[in-house]
């Protein structure tokens, strides 16, 4: 039976005698199959699974974006129950940011390009809330979706720099059969936009294919991805990136691990996706 907790004090009390290791799945709710896969990973590896549901106002630049973020706690709790989550922490804003709260956790280089430059302040909000969650839960493991690849890198950097003992585990992106990465934002797509949205995955697949055939020019791979996106009239491209997989600096030549990533708008809905290019050890 899943226990639902609201305050920091309730969470601390519930965690005091819970079996370890603890696996933490931080979420903003509107749970989908991607979140379920994180919960299952936690259940496999950890004795206690903790899910947090908190739509974090600090990571939204645009108040309209925050207001329209989909929410349904009853539905989310039913999913946690089905996945046999032990504890859900679903706090009101003042339990996360009590009156007088005045700290921001700000990560450097890996937080600045891509989503960092498209959404100023976003990663400060993410790093700040995740630092609070890590401190409150004290989990051995925390699970995040690889769909938000830069977020995973930012959180890893933050946890390493602040000597937080929680290991950050990235789990594979869960996709619809047509390749669209699951995201809470997909609910905002019209039927036409939904039909167009798998173009992100097709563009990334074209980039990977070029790389697998030996292409090492980042400009050429960006061009291949842009060409696929250009074939979809509803896709309004925000960025197409071929970046160093460790620093996220844009590359000229792919000579090590790289991250292909995209942000594309369909009307007001902005979707992101990525593909990791790992290096064959015999090539590096
Ligand atoms: O990925 C998310 O849902 C959020 O950014 C996170 C990690 C729960 C922080 O609010």
């Amino acid at each position: 039976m899943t226990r639902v907790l609201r305050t920091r004090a309730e969470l601390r009390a519930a965690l005091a005698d819970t079996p370890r290791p603890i696996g933490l799945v931080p979420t903003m709710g509107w749970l989908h199959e991607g979140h379920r896969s994180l919960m299952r990973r936690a259940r496999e590896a950890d004795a206690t699974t903790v899910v947090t549901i908190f739509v974090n106002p600090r990571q939204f630049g645009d108040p309209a974006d925050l207001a329209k973020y989909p929410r349904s706690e009853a539905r989310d709790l039913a999913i946690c129950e089905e996945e046999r989550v032990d504890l859900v922490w679903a706090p009101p804003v003042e339990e996360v940011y009590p009156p007088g709260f005045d700290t921001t956790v700000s990560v450097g280089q890996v937080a600045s390009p891509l989503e960092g430059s498209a959404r100023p302040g976003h990663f400060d909000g993410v790093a700040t809330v995740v630092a609070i969650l890590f401190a409150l839960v004290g989990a051995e493991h925390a699970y995040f979706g690889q769909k938000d690849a830069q977020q995973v890198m930012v959180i890893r950097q933050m946890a390493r720099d602040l000597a937080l003992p929680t290991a950050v585990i990235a789990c594979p992106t869960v996709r619809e059969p047509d390749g669209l990465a699951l995201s809470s934002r997909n609910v905002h797509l019209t039927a036409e936009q939904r039909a167009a949205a798998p173009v992100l995955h097709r563009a990334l697949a074209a980039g990977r294919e070029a790389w697998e055939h030996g292409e090492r020019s980042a400009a050429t791979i960006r061009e291949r991805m842009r060409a696929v996106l250009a074939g979809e009239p509803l896709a309004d491209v925000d960025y197409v990136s071929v970046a160093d997989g460790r620093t996220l600096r844009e590359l000229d030549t792919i000579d090590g691990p790289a991250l292909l990533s995209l942000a594309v708008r369909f009307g007001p809905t902005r979707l992101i996706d990525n593909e990791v290019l790992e290096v064959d050890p015999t090539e590096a």
Side-chain angles (χ1 to χ4, degrees):
M1 169 101 189
T2 303
R3 283 177 66 196
V4 182
L5 313 159
R6 301 288 174 192
T7 66
R8 289 184 177 211
E10 283 170 6
L11 178 64
R12 284 213 185 89
L15 289 169
D17 55 1
T18 198
R20 303 197 83 98
I22 295 173
L24 168 66
V25 181
T27 81
M28 297 206 298
W30 201 256
L31 303 176
H32 50 65
E33 201 54 44
H35 297 109
R36 285 186 191 259
S37 74
L38 306 181
M39 296 175 201
R40 288 176 196 148
R41 277 290 293 272
R43 275 192 53 79
E44 275 162 31
D46 299 292
T48 299
T49 302
V50 179
V51 170
T52 61
I53 300 176
F54 178 63
V55 182
N56 174 31
R58 288 181 177 242
Q59 68 188 75
F60 290 82
D62 177 3
D65 197 22
L66 171 63
K68 76 168 194 213
Y69 199 83
R71 300 164 205 237
S72 170
E73 191 181 89
R75 182 180 162 281
D76 290 342
L77 294 180
I79 289 175
C80 290
E81 192 76 59
E82 274 172 33
E83 296 300 335
R84 290 177 293 145
V85 167
D86 299 292
L87 302 175
V88 169
W89 193 49
V93 175
E94 63 276 13
E95 283 295 323
V96 178
Y97 303 116
F101 185 94
D102 195 20
T103 295
T104 298
V105 179
S106 193
V107 173
Q109 167 63 34
V110 293
S112 63
L114 306 173
E115 292 305 288
S117 83
R119 303 175 66 191
H122 169 67
F123 283 127
D124 284 2
V126 170
T128 302
V129 80
V130 174
I132 295 168
L133 298 176
F134 279 16
L136 284 170
V137 178
E140 278 78 1
H141 308 119
Y143 300 87
F144 297 89
Q146 178 62 26
K147 189 191 73 89
D148 296 304
Q150 188 178 12
Q151 169 169 281
V152 172
M153 293 174 75
V154 167
I155 293 170
R156 277 211 177 112
Q157 181 82 44
M158 180 273 294
R160 194 165 52 233
D161 291 351
L162 300 183
L164 304 179
T166 303
V168 175
I169 298 171
C171 302
T173 302
V174 178
R175 298 180 181 281
E176 299 282 6
D178 62 9
L180 177 65
L182 294 194
S183 161
S184 305
R185 291 176 191 273
N186 294 352
V187 72
H188 296 309
L189 298 170
T190 65
E192 247 192 324
Q193 292 164 348
R194 170 64 189 82
V199 73
L200 273 85
H201 185 54
R202 289 204 304 278
L204 291 165
R208 166 176 277 283
E209 196 189 337
W211 177 76
E212 280 171 356
H213 283 87
E215 183 58 66
R216 293 294 178 264
S217 156
T220 303
I221 291 185
R222 277 183 212 104
E223 215 27 70
R224 293 278 165 85
M225 294 195 286
R226 280 193 183 276
V228 175
L229 294 170
E232 178 42 73
L234 295 182
D236 177 10
V237 178
D238 194 345
Y239 63 74
V240 171
S241 163
V242 178
D244 183 298
R246 290 165 291 226
T247 64
L248 293 186
R249 289 198 174 89
E250 286 302 309
L251 290 170
D252 293 327
T253 305
I254 305 180
D255 54 5
L259 183 75
L260 310 184
S261 64
L262 306 173
V264 179
R265 283 178 205 279
F266 295 87
T269 307
R270 185 172 174 279
L271 302 182
I272 60 172
D273 201 350
N274 68 82
E275 179 77 25
V276 176
L277 303 183
E278 305 282 1
V279 205
D280 175 349
T282 56
E283 235 189 278

